[in-house]
Amino acid sequence: MKSIFRITCCCLFTFALCSIARSQASQKHLSRVDEMSDFPQPFQIIDFHQLALQFDKTVFDFKAAGKYWPLVWMDSSYKNFNQPVVGLYTAIGDVRQGPENNKGMFHEALANMGSVLSATLVGIDKRKGLDYVGMLKNYFNKETGWDIMMNNTCPEVALLGGGYGRDWWYDVYPNVLFYAICDLYPDEPGFDTIAHQIAEKFYLADSILSGDYHYSFFDYGKMQPMKNNICAQPDVAAGHAFVLYAAYKKFGDRRYLDGALSALGALQSNEVNPTYEVLMPFGAYMAAKMNAELGTKYDLNKMLQWSFDGTAVCREGWGVLTGNWNGMDISGIVGSTVDHGGYGFLMNTYDAAIPLIPLVRYNQFYAGAIGKWMLNAANAAKLFYPQYMPKDHQTIPELAAVTKGVIGYEGIIHTSSYKEHEGLQAPVAQGDGPLWVAGKNPDVTQFSVYGSAHVGIFGGIIRTTATPGILQLNLLATDFYRDKAYPSFLYYNPFREEKTITINLPRGEKTDLYNTVTGKFIGRKLRSSGKIKLLPQQAAVIVCVPSGGKQTFDGQKMLINGIVVDYHFGRKGSH
């Protein structure tokens, strides 16, 4: 998808010079982000949009040639729905999977849903040809009575991996992804029914939990919380809150709003960091969104600090990594800050952007912190891919050709988990695939299909500008179930000097530019393009509004033609 803004170093059209006011709104700091490099090195932002397009074209080729290819097959077991579903490998060469193994039934929703969401965010309609969107219905486990989306289609393959029915985040996150896809394909037959059933289950589960999410998982069939050898995952409340608030926006049922408020309240009530895997940033996003839209007072700063700082008790050290390892900045990637000196994962890094980038629309006081994080994360993400990581920092560089340039390693670690690679210097690109089926999964399973499948999240959000180091971040790309909004973009200047960038505007339309960080219009009646100045190490959140629109106010919200432009107009700071 092409942004209506393209930034170039030369102005092709008439422009107006727009200087951002120097009275910046009070910016909030995140201690973990403050540790990150101002300008990470070696610096290169790869074309995630093009990589996502190439991933889709390459991976969904049923006739792809080469050892371990194709990576897709058709599962005709007809679990849950009377239709086949595409199977997608979790990792290249995974012996648990494929059409000949386990009746072809073992494949993960995290891979399939991630690939559909990813492709859609870069402009691909995944209903054309084979309806990959409709196939996702098979992950709705109605045959088990759970009536939610799960990571596998059936319990027969659950023990093979993927956390099915015993590891809570694995059961909740597919529903988060499904709701996002529902928003992108609102007319997909059968999706509304499924979405409604999921909301009913989550609402009832929250009622039963009554503010206490300290369990290993929840049995949505028996409707009771459960404990096992996996530690409690109270941050699952963030996933419940996301789904229930989305359901409220979709169906208008007040009960779902009550459930979302209850779940987020349960999350906030934790006295220690409850972070487990991927869901905590969604709690921060929901706090910002509901505070802005409903006037609630959730502690956004606490939830953001929890998301980043690596102080999780259950899963020790889980958060966002920082540091420069032997001349390479790895700051911004998400994973364990302590395992083998630090171990960040590709999927977790991509998926953190889903909630954290649109959060800035609802609370611009974290624009600088989120902009700096994304710059670091986008720069470090290339290191997961063998074509961008130096060979002497990879466990299996000799097998790189099998990835066809679209599959990355599962993770980046400080000290290799494998004895045969103990001599490698940090950072080391590797994956845990060989450990899943010890002695049977080949080394090539270190290349992660399911993690690489999520590349379109970065691809749909990030555009480079003519000034290397200043990114254009689309705040609407993953802001699912939003109210009407004008195109909104985050720009962060990491440099110690002022920079000027050019914004190209739609032809034939007069546009006003508003910066929510300063609370001021910085350009009026612009045609074709405009220039803005970014102060040193400052962010701008630019909203493109129609010129001459009627400005009104609703409490602290500023609206143009009835559409909110600034949720905190006139405020110097916010929760």
Side-chain angles (χ1 to χ4, degrees), residues 107 204 209 317 367 459:
H107 40 84
L204 182 55
L209 290 161

Coordinates of all heavy atoms in Angstrom, one line a residue, residues 107 204 209 317 367 459:
H107 N 0.1 -27.5 11.9 CA 0.5 -26.2 11.4 C 0.0 -25.2 12.4 O -1.0 -25.5 13.1 CB 0.0 -25.9 10.0 CG -1.4 -26.4 9.7 ND1 -2.5 -25.7 10.1 CD2 -1.8 -27.6 9.2 CE1 -3.6 -26.3 9.7 NE2 -3.2 -27.5 9.2
L204 N -17.2 -14.0 29.3 CA -17.5 -14.9 30.4 C -16.3 -15.3 31.2 O -16.3 -15.4 32.4 CB -18.2 -16.2 29.9 CG -18.7 -17.2 30.9 CD1 -19.6 -16.6 31.9 CD2 -19.4 -18.4 30.2
L209 N -12.9 -15.0 36.1 CA -11.6 -14.7 36.7 C -11.7 -13.6 37.7 O -10.9 -13.6 38.7 CB -10.6 -14.3 35.6 CG -10.2 -15.5 34.7 CD1 -9.7 -14.9 33.4 CD2 -9.2 -16.4 35.4
G317 N 13.4 -11.5 32.9 CA 14.1 -10.7 31.9 C 13.4 -10.4 30.6 O 14.0 -9.8 29.7
A367 N 5.8 10.0 21.9 CA 6.2 10.0 20.4 C 7.7 9.9 20.3 O 8.2 9.1 19.5 CB 5.7 11.3 19.7
G459 N 6.5 -3.8 7.3 CA 6.3 -3.3 5.9 C 5.2 -2.4 5.7 O 5.2 -1.5 4.8

